Amino acid sequence: TTLRQLLRDGIIQRLVDGGLLIETLPTSLKIDDYEMVVSHRHVPFASYPEEWCPAMLKDAALTKIQLLTELARYGFTLKDAHPWNILFDAWKPVYVDISSIVSISDNTAWHGYDEFCRFYLYPLLLMAHGQDRIARRLLPELDGVSKADVSRLTRSALGFGSIFKPISYSPSVLNQRLLQLWRKLLVHTRRALVSKESRSQETYLTSLEQLNSEVEKISLPSVNREGSVHEGNPISPPLLRDDWTEKQRSLHKLFNELRPASVLT
């Protein structure tokens, strides 16, 4: 089976070492009608996509693309692309559903591409336009965020007729470069990932690289302590105090090292 091959060839361990996949080990347990039972490392706190801040959804999207890229190098892909297969281990997104890993065949398209758009790309576009509350409320819906949702909501928020038309750069919206490449991204990525025709590994990897680049270009607004949206610098931790507990000192050290743009509490 696919899982046995992934374990036997050390692919699972390489993905775990790369921080993309949850630690997974085979067990001696037996269940009727199932070939194998595996054990995952426990993630102590489960959060859900509709609870994530925009930066977390973007990190999850980039992790999914990176995982797809690494799997493609070994001849595998993911059969779906929804964000509920990712959990945040502290601040780091990690993929947890190894049953979604399948082999790539010459006639197999990545059927998760449309799902990736509806649950990652389109919500991120709404969030980039300051519509993160609406995006999070649409995420639990069966169809997620549609392209029509993006077009209507960004038109009403920004006052321009079409999302594909370039607009002047503003810190609270998508940069002009992203808008100019938006239509090109949809055309080329769909051809590479969804086409029924056979695609080479090189073309597939190139399309993933392009998708990764476009997701990275999405400029997300941050939120200050008063709740207003801005494009400020990463959070600066307060000065170290003598009366702090060991926990407070540890958090202070982490904030100084990581310099996060936002913190989920």
Side-chain angles (χ1 to χ4, degrees):
T1 64
T2 297
L3 181 55
R4 289 188 185 278
Q5 182 182 351
L6 291 168
L7 290 166
R8 183 186 66 243
D9 296 346
I11 298 173
I12 290 288
Q13 190 57 51
R14 285 192 285 273
L15 295 173
V16 170
D17 293 341
L20 299 173
L21 191 68
I22 193 69
E23 287 87 336
T24 302
L25 295 171
T27 72
S28 59
L29 297 174
K30 302 291 183 182
I31 298 179
D32 292 342
D33 300 325
Y34 291 91
E35 294 186 20
M36 180 182 294
V37 178
V38 298
S39 173
H40 292 319
R41 177 177 62 81
H42 176 64
V43 177
F45 179 79
S47 62
Y48 301 95
E50 61 268 29
E51 300 172 332
W52 298 344
C53 66
M56 293 174 73
L57 184 63
K58 183 175 179 179
D59 285 347
L62 294 172
T63 296
K64 180 66 67 69
I65 297 171
Q66 187 179 355
L67 177 60
L68 282 163
T69 301
E70 292 303 313
L71 286 172
R73 302 186 194 281
Y74 303 111
F76 294 94
T77 187
L78 299 174
K79 64 183 180 182
D80 51 37
H82 62 75
W84 285 269
N85 282 341
I86 285 183
L87 292 178
F88 272 82
D89 187 13
W91 70 91
K92 184 174 178 55
V94 60
Y95 197 78
V96 297
D97 186 10
I98 61 173
S99 64
S100 288
I101 302 176
V102 294
S103 298
I104 296 177
S105 65
D106 290 342
N107 298 319
T108 300
W110 184 47
H111 299 291
Y113 174 71
D114 286 337
E115 197 171 39
F116 182 91
C117 289
R118 290 185 283 109
F119 290 99
Y120 285 108
L121 195 55
Y122 297 157
L124 284 170
L125 287 170
L126 286 184
M127 292 173 173
H129 286 84
Q131 301 282 3
D132 54 289
R133 292 177 66 248
I134 295 177
R136 283 200 297 271
R137 280 159 176 76
L138 288 174
L139 273 170
E141 297 291 327
L142 181 62
D143 295 326
V145 178
S146 68
K147 183 162 50 176
D149 292 331
V150 177
S151 181
R152 285 192 297 265
L153 290 168
T154 53
R155 183 188 301 119
S156 62
L158 300 177
F160 60 92
S162 170
I163 191 170
F164 301 118
K165 293 181 180 178
I167 60 173
S168 300
Y169 175 77
S170 171
S172 63
V173 299
L174 292 177
N175 58 52
Q176 187 174 8
R177 175 66 174 166
L178 175 60
L179 290 174
Q180 291 172 338
L181 293 177
W182 171 245
R183 186 183 293 274
K184 181 179 178 182
L185 166 68
L186 291 180
V187 173
H188 288 280
T189 308
R190 181 177 293 275
R191 285 176 181 173
L193 297 179
V194 187
S195 173
K196 293 182 180 180
E197 300 177 1
S198 175
R199 299 289 177 178
S200 68
Q201 184 186 55
E202 182 179 356
T203 301
Y204 181 68
L205 290 173
T206 299
S207 66
L208 289 174
E209 182 180 352
Q210 182 184 10
L211 182 59
N212 186 83
S213 176
E214 295 308 320
V215 171
E216 284 186 332
K217 286 187 178 73
I218 298 178
S219 178
L220 298 172
S222 56
V223 180
N224 62 20
R225 292 182 179 179
E226 286 71 38
S228 60
V229 177
H230 68 98
E231 288 285 336
N233 296 323
I235 293 175
S236 297
L239 297 177
L240 187 65
R241 290 172 44 176
D242 294 334
D243 59 344
W244 277 3
T245 64
E246 188 62 31
K247 178 180 179 181
Q248 289 172 314
R249 291 176 179 274
S250 297
L251 288 173
H252 183 272
K253 180 181 178 181
L254 282 175
F255 288 151
N256 271 323
E257 292 176 353
L258 300 175
R259 309 297 294 180
S262 61
V263 178
L264 179 67
T265 59

